[in-house]
């Protein structure tokens, strides 16, 4: 009976793997009291990160059918379920997740992948009662990790999701809005207020140039060299981004945290560059993200 259960589970898993990956190269087989993974009939010696993610995710979702787990009373937690997946695999993974956990009493999905977030957001936005004015009565809630620099070092806390991430369909909109509002704020802001902006500014500029100048490959420095804009300002932007936007830059002798105080001025320069390159695009973005700005302490 146990072997029959194994075989039944593996048949379902292999069918899911076939659907997920789009091929039947990988197969799970019963071996002793466990499983083995074969590729084209021989033991798989190496799996890509995407393949390992697919197998782990599908196996986890299959275990939710265990008779010891009561789905309608249970809590399902998925922590970054689409790590190392390409776009096609990501959408397939989401389809499996939604199908398998839709009836769970409570679901927690954690992700840093914006494409995955969009899928989950759109799913939850269409839940019955999600449009209620009283947030506490909505079936779904959205949160984010808010990172800041304090006297004790880097700290994160769970905070309500920034409304811009729910409102817009791309991370670019969110990044532009955050950079624009920081640049427009009346106060220069301290380290805590400015700590996150070098990374945001770098991603904003890289995304803008990828679409604005797709014919120019290479690093950020090379792309900026092809932009017709004040050379001194370009160098200032580049120095700020290179010095402050990498996770390991904190150990760089050139990394002076106090220099983050110039963030507001550099972000203003960055926005001026975007406006110079594409005024119509800049004006359209400002129109989307320009409600009254609260002063940043």
């Amino acid at each position: 009976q146990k072997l029959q259960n194994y075989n039944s589970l593996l048949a379902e898993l292999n069918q899911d793997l076939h659907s997920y990956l789009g091929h039947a190269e990988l197969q799970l087989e019963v071996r002793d009291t466990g499983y083995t993974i074969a590729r084209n009939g021989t033991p798989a010696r190496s799996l890509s990160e995407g393949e390992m993610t697919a197998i782990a995710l599908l196996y986890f979702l299959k275990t939710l059918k265990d008779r010891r787990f009561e789905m309608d009373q249970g809590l399902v937690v998925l922590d970054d379920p689409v790590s190392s997946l390409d776009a096609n695999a990501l959408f397939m993974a989401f389809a499996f997740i939604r199908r398998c956990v839709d009836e769970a009493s409570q679901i927690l999905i954690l992700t840093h992948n914006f494409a995955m977030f969009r899928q989950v957001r759109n799913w939850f936005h269409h839940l019955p009662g999600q449009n209620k004015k009283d947030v506490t009565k909505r079936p779904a809630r959205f949160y984010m990790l808010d990172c800041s620099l304090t006297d004790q070092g880097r700290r994160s806390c769970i905070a309500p999701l920034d409304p811009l991430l729910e409102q817009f369909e791309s991370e670019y909109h969110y990044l532009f809005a955050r950079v624009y509002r920081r640049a427009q704020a009346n106060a220069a802001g301290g380290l805590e207020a400015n700590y996150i902006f070098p990374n945001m500014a770098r991603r904003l500029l890289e995304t803008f140039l990828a679409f604005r100048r797709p014919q120019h490959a290479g690093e950020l420095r090379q792309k900026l060299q092809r932009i017709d804009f004040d050379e001194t300002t370009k160098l200032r932007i580049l120095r700020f981004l290179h010095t402050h936007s990498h996770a390991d830059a904190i150990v760089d002798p050139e990394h002076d945290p106090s220099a983050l105080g110039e963030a507001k001025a550099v972000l203003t320069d960055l926005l001026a560059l975007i406006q110079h390159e594409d005024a119509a695009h800049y004006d359209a973005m400002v129109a989307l993200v320009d409600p009254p700005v609260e002063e940043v302490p």
Side-chain angles (χ1 to χ4, degrees):
Q1 179 66 34
K2 191 172 184 179
L3 182 60
Q4 289 179 347
N5 289 339
Y6 277 153
N7 287 333
S8 176
L9 175 62
L10 284 187
E12 293 179 11
L13 270 173
N14 285 329
Q15 181 58 48
D16 287 347
L17 268 176
H18 188 178
S19 299
Y20 189 114
L21 298 174
H23 60 75
E25 281 185 18
L26 293 181
Q27 293 281 309
L28 278 76
E29 301 171 353
V30 176
R31 182 173 182 178
D32 299 326
T33 58
Y35 309 99
T36 185
I37 303 172
R39 188 190 300 277
N40 295 324
T42 61
R45 298 301 180 187
S46 60
L47 298 173
S48 69
E49 288 189 38
E51 289 172 336
M52 289 188 286
T53 297
I55 294 171
L57 175 62
L58 294 176
Y59 181 82
F60 170 75
L61 294 176
K62 194 64 64 178
T63 62
L64 297 179
K65 294 184 178 180
D66 192 303
R67 286 176 296 179
R68 292 170 295 180
F69 182 74
E70 299 180 9
M71 181 70 78
D72 60 349
Q73 299 181 37
L75 167 64
V76 178
V77 180
L78 291 158
D79 185 3
D80 199 17
V82 295
S83 176
S84 304
L85 297 184
D86 60 27
N88 290 334
L90 184 149
F91 294 126
M92 184 63 72
F94 172 74
F96 274 101
I97 290 171
R98 180 168 179 173
R99 186 187 73 187
C100 294
V101 307
D102 195 40
E103 296 180 0
S105 175
Q106 189 173 11
I107 308 163
L108 296 179
I109 300 178
L110 300 93
T111 184
H112 63 263
N113 184 296
F114 192 80
M116 181 63 178
F117 165 74
R118 284 180 57 193
Q119 297 301 311
V120 175
R121 180 196 62 187
N122 293 340
W123 171 23
F124 287 175
H125 275 178
H126 289 88
L127 292 175
Q130 188 61 24
N131 292 327
K132 290 182 178 179
K133 291 185 178 180
D134 187 346
V135 176
T136 63
K137 294 182 179 180
R138 296 175 184 175
R141 309 274 173 42
F142 299 91
Y143 300 92
M144 64 189 294
L145 281 179
D146 191 3
C147 180
S148 61
L149 184 65
T150 69
D151 293 339
Q152 290 76 42
R154 238 178 121 215
R155 292 292 183 269
S156 296
C157 65
I158 298 176
L161 183 70
D162 191 302
L164 291 169
L165 285 172
E166 282 198 69
Q167 180 181 358
F168 297 126
E169 283 297 311
S170 79
E171 186 181 31
Y172 179 78
H173 288 80
Y174 171 70
L175 294 172
F176 186 96
R178 291 296 303 271
V179 168
Y180 179 81
R181 291 178 180 176
R182 176 85 277 274
Q184 295 294 310
N186 293 329
L191 296 183
E192 183 175 354
N194 291 320
Y195 187 74
I196 60 174
F197 283 101
N199 276 315
M200 284 189 168
R202 184 184 187 91
R203 293 172 69 182
L204 175 67
L205 180 58
E206 288 176 337
T207 304
F208 173 75
L209 293 179
F211 284 92
R212 180 63 180 167
R213 297 296 182 93
Q215 74 276 25
H216 295 150
E219 297 181 353
L220 187 58
R221 180 186 299 274
Q222 296 171 325
K223 292 182 177 180
L224 274 179
Q225 287 177 347
R226 299 176 181 273
I227 300 296
D228 181 19
F229 195 64
D230 180 72
E231 291 298 324
T232 301
T233 304
K234 287 194 297 184
L235 286 174
R236 183 187 189 194
I237 293 171
L238 191 64
R239 181 191 60 79
F240 181 80
L241 299 185
H242 277 331
T243 303
H244 300 292
S245 66
H246 297 295
D248 60 352
I250 197 71
V251 300
D252 191 323
E254 295 182 2
H255 180 84
D256 178 5
S258 64
L260 285 172
E262 68 173 335
K264 183 178 183 299
V266 176
L267 297 181
T268 300
D269 289 340
L270 172 58
L271 292 171
L273 184 149
I274 293 175
Q275 184 179 28
H276 175 81
E277 266 292 289
D278 193 336
H281 166 77
Y282 176 85
D283 291 343
M285 291 299 297
V286 169
L288 283 174
V289 305
D290 195 23
V293 179
E294 295 182 1
E295 184 172 323
V296 178

